[in-house]
Amino acid sequence: MRFRLTRDQEALREGMRELLGRRFDGAALRAAAGAPARLDRRLWRELGAAGFFALRLPEADGGVGLGLPEAVLVFEEAGRALLPGPLLATHLAAAEVPGAAMGETVVARVDGGLAEWLAEADAVTGDASGALPVRSVDPLTPLHRVPGPAAGPADPVAVLLTAAEQLGTATRACELAVQHARTRVQFGQPIGAFQAVKHLCAELLVRAETARAAVYAAAVTAAPVDIAAARLLADEAAVRGARDCLQVHGGMGFTWESEVHLHLKRAWVRAQRGGGNTESEEMLAVELLG
Amino acid sequence: MDLSYTPEEEDFRARLREWLAKVLPGLPPKPRPEDWPGRRAYDLGWQRTLYDAGYADVHWDASPTTRLIFLEETERAGAPYVGANFVGLLHAGPTIAAEGTEAQRARWLAPILRGDEVWCQGFSEPDAGSDLAALRTRAWRDGDDYVVSGSKIWTSHAEVADWCELLVRTDAQAPRHRGITWLAMPMDAPGITVRPLRTLAGSAEFAEVFLDEVRVPVANRVGAENDGWRVTMVTLSFERGTAFVGEVVACRRVLGELARVARENGTWDDPERRRRLGRLNAEFRALWRLTQWNVSEAEGGRVPGVGGSVFKLRYSHARQELYDVAAAVLGPDALDLDRPWVLDRLSSLSYTIAAGTSQIQRNIVAERILGLPKGR
Ligand SMILES: Cc1cc2nc3c(=O)[nH]c(=O)nc-3n(C[C@H](O)[C@H](O)[C@H](O)COP(=O)(O)OP(=O)(O)OC[C@H]3O[C@@H](n4cnc5c(N)ncnc54)[C@H](O)[C@@H]3O)c2cc1C
């Protein structure tokens, strides 16, 4: 048993973090949040060239030939950077929709009565007829409501990669909270010296690390019940993590300028995928009966 | 990332399983909780059985993964817990192995492994709990002995222990952490009074230990005089991420049984309670994966150390939630001490207190992993 990242996996993650740090840093994030949501097609193609969408396609088909664990790592990085765009939909469509694998085609996807980035997409998976735009709570995720009967059970791979993005958010929320707690001074000391703040930060880490173990393990086994578990843990780590991060930031956390709210809002959007987490809870309950 | 075991590890597992299937049916019946001599004999007998089969030192010499498999399989098979062997196998023994002299290792280690002697841990005092370095039990030199006076509290298994790993203050003037010494105190020495304390679960699991001029040979000191704090920290860092393996396995089994009871008594049909069971399933699956992660880190030579705090924090709360959910499933039966899980619910309350409270664990995580400043 060697349940740790391999050298190659570490390098892949570093590479993705470096690319995103260079092409989509904090300033770019805030700029994006200040303008109507538009997709950066050049960045999309760069992601395509870096193998983000073709990651799991066989090499024979021009893909990178890697597996779910690697996909989880790059989605985690995308989540950490809060990269906008229908990453999941395009990645999932890489085998079917021409141009998706290389980032030439932007693909949206109908999921849980919603579709992200529908207006910017060149192609859609699922039936988007009758879709109506909504004023999205997340400034970086344009949303449409899509009427019609609920789809069947959620695609486990979609659930897992969403959990990976949530894990990225949980990790980032912890980093931001700790950074702020170390530097913001009140009552003559960094607020991180106050136990109430310190313990919020500790719990942020505990939730993120527990979710990490669940998400990575689910990537290895690809078992639907492991994926369901990963999803519950990662949703919790992201949503509660972002909220606690906001609390640690005080009034600053309530501003548009700080990036904290963007993490929380995106975590809310992702938590709705697959119609929320009820299905995962039910699956895990039934599994107990053996 | 690889969750599969090597052929050697699988072989170890298979042989262990086979052996467990052979020996467990022959074990004597479990003694009642209040039968201390019976419990001592039972726990030591099990350690002896392990020793004879070559499994005694799995806590010390085996690789972390082997230990994980050992703890997983023994729990699955329903084998006895370490029980009264806990301090000897997991605290005092490893300390002596790391810091003791040749003669000390020869004297104390074999009896622990063979299941001949029980150790207890005399660290906490009435005025030194979370703040262990505030301990005041005094020891002064008199010829070849230390003379020890003071009192310890919450000492688990004190009533049946042969030895106590004792922290005493040997220099009252030195800075707090530098005046402490680690002694092995024979529990039959004159001047020791053990007064059992009744826990909220009704049984006597731990005790107060009063020390009135107890003579402990200087030869029983492990490490240098006044170096006991460091010696103790060595023990604590022995934790290799496997401390709760058996318990997580046990919790997952309980959860399965709980789901079946819920199905029978109708609480299953309440979506709120059913989904709470589902969430707990996710929780314990994640804790299992976190265990595997920590064990893999340890295999790679990295000591999880503070990573253990992350695990302990999450696990102790999950365990309490498990038995709260059990109560939600049991309904009025949750008030009946003769029902399964009701006592477990009570004892789960100690998990966020013993071996470092949750608040202290959060301090550790925040200060040592996240690098937040210490408060004033
Ligand atoms: C079942 C059980 C078995 C035990 N077995 C043993 C044993 O065999 N040997 C042994 O030596 N000890 C043993 N202990 C003692 C155990 O280690 C202590 O109970 C524990 O360290 C807490 O100390 P305390 O009880 O004095 O509580 P206190 O330290 O008085 O804590 C009381 C409350 O204050 C909080 N608190 C204290 N300091 C801080 C701080 N700095 N920041 C924030 N909050 C703080 C705590 O979190 C807790 O909520 C056992 C305890 C239990 C429950």
Side-chain angles (χ1 to χ4, degrees):
Chain A
M1 188 182 65
R2 217 121 255 254
F3 187 29
R4 314 158 50 186
L5 301 197
T6 62
R7 284 245 157 77
D8 286 350
Q9 288 168 340
E10 270 169 12
L12 177 73
R13 183 170 68 177
E14 280 318 303
M16 186 51 62
R17 186 171 292 194
E18 190 274 328
L19 168 72
L20 293 174
R22 190 160 36 81
R23 289 292 281 105
F24 194 72
D25 60 7
L29 173 62
R30 277 185 291 276
R38 290 297 315 260
L39 201 65
D40 180 347
R41 294 228 169 210
R42 238 186 57 198
L43 176 54
W44 207 253
R45 278 190 293 272
E46 273 180 61
L47 284 172
F52 191 97
F53 304 117
L55 198 74
R56 291 182 306 122
L57 292 187
E59 280 175 284
D61 302 340
V64 188
L66 293 172
L68 270 183
E70 287 77 17
V72 154
L73 293 176
V74 298
F75 271 84
E76 178 188 345
E77 287 307 313
R80 184 173 167 279
L82 216 46
L83 189 66
L87 296 160
L88 178 63
T90 306
H91 178 96
L92 291 175
E96 283 91 44
V97 177
M102 291 315 294
E104 302 293 340
T105 312
V106 174
V107 186
R109 176 170 183 270
V110 178
D111 178 334
L114 291 161
E116 303 171 20
W117 290 96
L118 195 57
E120 293 271 326
D122 310 313
V124 188
T125 39
D127 179 9
S129 46
L132 289 172
V134 297
R135 249 159 44 80
S136 173
V137 67
D138 176 14
L140 291 172
T141 311
L143 287 173
H144 280 71
R145 293 283 331 238
V146 183
D155 167 12
V157 173
V159 174
L160 177 62
L161 296 181
T162 297
E165 289 182 273
Q166 295 286 56
L167 174 61
T169 287
T171 307
R172 186 75 187 132
C174 184
E175 289 168 8
L176 289 172
V178 170
Q179 247 168 43
H180 190 72
R182 279 210 199 118
T183 47
R184 167 72 175 164
V185 172
Q186 286 292 275
F187 298 95
Q189 60 179 9
I191 57 167
F194 295 112
Q195 249 184 20
V197 172
K198 189 175 274 185
H199 288 190
L200 281 179
C201 293
E203 285 299 329
L204 271 157
L205 184 78
V206 169
R207 286 194 297 265
E209 292 311 303
T210 312
R212 180 181 315 285
V215 170
Y216 289 0
V220 173
T221 69
V225 14
D226 282 336
I227 290 175
R231 189 234 161 107
L232 294 186
L233 276 281
D235 276 350
E236 185 208 27
V239 172
R240 287 200 54 193
R243 289 186 68 147
D244 288 353
C245 178
L246 198 152
Q247 182 66 21
V248 167
H249 278 75
M252 180 76 83
F254 194 66
T255 65
W256 191 269
E257 277 81 47
S258 106
E259 64 176 89
V260 180
H261 69 113
L262 300 174
H263 291 281
L264 177 59
K265 291 166 178 174
R266 189 76 64 86
W268 281 342
V269 169
R270 297 192 201 109
Q272 270 307 316
R273 292 200 193 140
N277 60 20
T278 313
E279 185 184 308
S280 297
E281 289 174 348
E282 292 287 358
M283 183 196 293
L284 283 152
V286 169
E287 195 267 347
L288 288 173
L289 296 173
Chain B
M1 289 187 273
D2 185 3
L3 286 166
S4 60
Y5 295 90
T6 65
E8 295 79 53
E9 287 162 353
E10 288 297 4
D11 186 49
F12 173 82
R13 186 193 296 279
R15 278 184 290 121
L16 176 59
R17 257 189 206 170
E18 206 179 300
W19 177 76
L20 286 166
K22 216 168 56 206
V23 305
L24 290 183
L27 284 190
K30 269 208 171 83
R32 299 177 50 80
E34 59 279 6
D35 174 12
W36 272 111
R39 281 173 63 178
R40 176 188 152 101
Y42 184 84
D43 294 351
L44 286 176
W46 173 240
Q47 181 60 25
R48 179 68 196 210
T49 309
L50 289 172
Y51 178 83
D52 289 339
Y55 289 116
D57 61 349
V58 74
H59 297 286
W60 297 357
D61 286 340
S63 73
T65 308
T66 308
R67 197 173 320 151
L68 174 90
I69 295 170
F70 175 83
L71 294 166
E72 182 187 3
E73 291 301 326
T74 44
E75 176 57 43
R76 283 243 163 85
Y81 298 108
V82 282
N85 303 301
F86 181 84
V87 173
L89 282 174
L90 295 160
H91 285 265
T95 304
I96 295 163
E99 297 285 325
T101 62
E102 198 55 55
Q104 290 173 334
R105 292 208 294 269
R107 166 62 190 88
W108 286 311
L109 297 187
I112 292 173
L113 291 180
R114 276 198 310 261
D116 287 342
E117 291 181 345
V118 169
W119 285 69
C120 63
Q121 182 182 66
F123 287 6
S124 304
E125 295 182 6
D127 289 329
S130 299
D131 187 11
L132 183 57
L135 64 91
R136 289 204 305 232
T137 292
R138 290 267 291 124
W140 58 94
R141 286 284 279 270
D142 181 30
D144 290 339
D145 291 335
Y146 284 104
V147 181
V148 184
S149 281
S151 62
K152 295 289 174 178
I153 195 167
W154 321 127
T155 317
S156 305
H157 297 111
E159 283 171 274
V160 292
D162 303 288
W163 295 94
C164 177
E165 54 163 342
L166 189 72
L167 290 183
V168 294
R169 185 156 304 281
T170 34
D171 185 346
Q173 259 65 57
R176 297 188 333 149
H177 297 85
R178 305 234 184 85
I180 294 171
T181 298
W182 195 105
L183 297 177
M185 177 176 76
M187 286 298 283
D188 59 0
I192 301 178
T193 310
V194 175
R195 199 169 78 198
L197 291 165
R198 203 160 171 226
T199 73
L200 57 67
S203 54
E205 295 298 321
F206 46 29
E208 282 178 288
V209 178
F210 299 98
L211 307 170
D212 182 16
E213 306 208 339
V214 180
R215 300 190 79 87
V216 179
V218 172
N220 287 15
R221 185 188 73 216
V222 170
E225 188 169 285
N226 296 326
D227 197 27
W229 186 260
R230 189 193 58 80
V231 170
T232 305
M233 291 305 129
V234 168
T235 322
L236 297 181
S237 75
F238 268 95
E239 218 279 274
R240 289 282 191 279
T242 48
F244 298 102
V245 169
E247 299 200 11
V248 172
V249 173
C251 285
R252 293 184 67 182
R253 185 186 58 235
V254 168
L255 193 52
E257 290 164 10
L258 201 51
R260 283 185 284 281
V261 169
R263 219 356 218 275
E264 279 155 27
N265 77 11
T267 40
W268 182 263
D269 300 328
D270 168 5
E272 271 301 314
R273 275 181 280 190
R274 186 174 65 238
R275 287 176 200 155
R276 215 170 148 197
L277 285 165
R279 281 200 300 278
L280 264 179
N281 189 5
E283 181 74 24
F284 282 104
R285 281 169 172 273
L287 284 165
W288 180 248
R289 298 313 189 181
L290 193 55
T291 302
Q292 290 181 312
W293 184 267
N294 286 341
V295 164
S296 297
E297 291 269 292
E299 284 287 0
R302 278 177 271 191
V303 180
V306 275
S309 291
V310 169
F311 184 90
K312 193 202 176 241
L313 265 172
R314 187 82 186 201
Y315 167 65
S316 39
H317 290 271
R319 187 178 177 101
Q320 291 176 352
E321 167 73 3
L322 170 66
Y323 288 108
D324 283 347
V325 172
V329 168
L330 289 174
D333 284 344
L335 303 180
D336 177 352
L337 284 170
D338 288 327
R339 285 285 167 166
W341 302 321
V342 179
L343 273 176
D344 297 309
R345 186 183 192 202
L346 293 176
S347 60
S348 79
L349 298 171
S350 74
Y351 277 71
T352 46
I353 296 167
T357 69
S358 290
Q359 285 71 35
I360 295 299
Q361 303 291 351
R362 287 189 193 104
N363 288 349
I364 292 173
V365 167
E367 288 164 15
R368 300 205 211 142
I369 304 183
L370 299 176
L372 290 174
K374 282 195 191 281
R376 275 195 249 132

